[in-house]
């Protein structure tokens, strides 16, 4: 590996292992997506890849399709010499804030999961709203507000579990319990309907 010096080589095998050198999340469309939420999902996926700054830049640029964004990135990419600088540039340019934060604090109360709801759209909406309201929070800060947004039966089911210190563990477990509770609710409904029609 001699001769690379300061000019880091891009290890395609490393990128392949991460995503077969394709996108790891959906493309980022600044008109449709909350930049902060999108970026946290991107970083979660990329962390495992242990990329150097050039690999990080390459992978990030694969997710840009908006012409203004591509142009901005082309002008900026040469000035970012660390992964942190790349991240700071993106969040500064597309992380949002201001009015959105005030509105999000208000809408946090509206993000609730009921037994009838689909799980993934609820999680996406929760993350969007939480991150707009708390732009500097770390992932595990979401745990308590997330539990508070769940329906009573789910909270009871989680109470008998060991305490969750990791966000991803909580989401996985909640998804599993939600599927079970939905099944139970459907069975109960079916039983009620069959007694009514008997």
């Amino acid at each position: 590996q001699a001769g690379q010096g300061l000019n880091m080589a891009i290890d395609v095998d490393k990128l392949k292992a991460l995503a077969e050198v394709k996108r790891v999340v959906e493309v980022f469309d600044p008109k449709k997506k909350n930049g902060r939420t999108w970026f946290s999902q991107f970083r979660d996926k990329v962390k495992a890849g242990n990329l150097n700054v050039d690999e990080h830049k390459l992978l990030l640029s694969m997710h840009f399709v908006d012409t203004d964004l591509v142009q901005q990135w082309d002008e900026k990419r040469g000035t970012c010499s660390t992964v942190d600088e790349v991240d700071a540039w993106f969040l500064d340019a597309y992380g949002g804030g201001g009015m959105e934060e005030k509105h999000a604090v208000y809408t946090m109360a509206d993000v609730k999961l009921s037994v009838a709801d689909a799980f993934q759209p609820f999680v996406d909406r929760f993350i969007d709203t939480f991150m707009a309201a708390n732009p500097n929070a770390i992932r595990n800060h979401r745990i308590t507000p997330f539990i508070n947004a769940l329906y009573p039966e789910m909270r009871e089911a989680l109470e008998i579990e060991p305490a969750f210190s990791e966000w991803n563990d909580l989401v996985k477990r909640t998804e599993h319990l939600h599927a079970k509770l939905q099944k139970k609710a459907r069975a109960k409904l079916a039983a009620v309907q069959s007694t009514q029609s008997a």
Side-chain angles (χ1 to χ4, degrees):
Q1 297 288 323
Q4 279 180 21
L6 287 170
N7 184 14
M8 291 184 207
I10 286 172
D11 182 343
V12 179
D13 288 339
K14 212 194 279 181
L15 286 166
K16 266 192 184 145
L18 198 65
E20 304 298 343
V21 191
K22 57 176 186 260
R23 300 180 180 121
V24 291
V25 287
E26 285 177 20
V27 296
F28 174 63
D29 180 345
K31 295 176 192 72
K32 294 183 188 160
K33 288 196 175 353
N34 173 317
R36 198 170 281 280
T37 308
W38 179 88
F39 197 69
S40 91
Q41 289 165 346
F42 174 79
R43 280 304 303 269
D44 283 354
K45 291 273 168 64
V46 169
K47 241 185 253 162
N50 192 23
L51 305 184
N52 68 35
V53 65
D54 290 336
E55 291 157 352
H56 188 71
K57 284 181 189 176
L58 175 68
L59 193 62
L60 184 64
S61 64
M62 286 177 175
H63 293 76
F64 296 161
V65 287
D66 180 82
T67 34
D68 293 343
L69 173 55
V70 170
Q71 197 182 339
Q72 260 187 305
W73 173 238
D74 283 344
E75 289 163 10
K76 190 70 194 169
R77 64 193 307 163
T79 64
C80 299
S81 55
T82 65
V83 168
D84 286 345
E85 282 175 15
V86 174
D87 296 357
W89 166 78
F90 182 87
L91 289 170
D92 193 41
Y94 293 97
M99 275 310 292
E100 203 180 280
E101 285 176 35
K102 292 182 185 59
H103 178 63
V105 174
Y106 169 73
T107 56
M108 215 43 223
D110 307 327
V111 185
K112 296 281 181 215
L113 179 71
S114 80
V115 73
D117 293 340
F119 187 70
Q120 198 49 52
F122 160 73
V123 175
D124 292 344
R125 188 168 168 224
F126 174 86
I127 293 173
D128 266 355
T129 312
F130 181 82
M131 289 191 67
N134 309 280
N136 300 316
I138 59 169
R139 249 184 339 163
N140 288 341
H141 286 168
R142 302 174 197 162
I143 290 175
T144 305
F146 182 81
I147 292 172
N148 291 340
L150 304 172
Y151 50 97
E153 297 88 339
M154 174 65 86
R155 289 205 297 274
E156 280 167 28
L158 285 172
E159 268 169 22
I160 55 174
E161 304 269 324
F164 289 91
S165 58
E166 283 301 323
W167 164 252
N168 288 347
D169 296 344
L170 172 65
V171 173
K172 266 188 214 141
R173 189 67 188 141
T174 308
E175 185 170 22
H176 173 73
L177 291 169
H178 185 55
K180 274 171 70 171
L181 288 164
Q182 279 189 324
K183 213 169 171 183
K184 210 163 147 185
R186 278 197 289 269
K188 205 185 274 181
L189 189 64
V192 169
Q193 284 168 342
S194 68
T195 55
Q196 282 173 349
S197 59

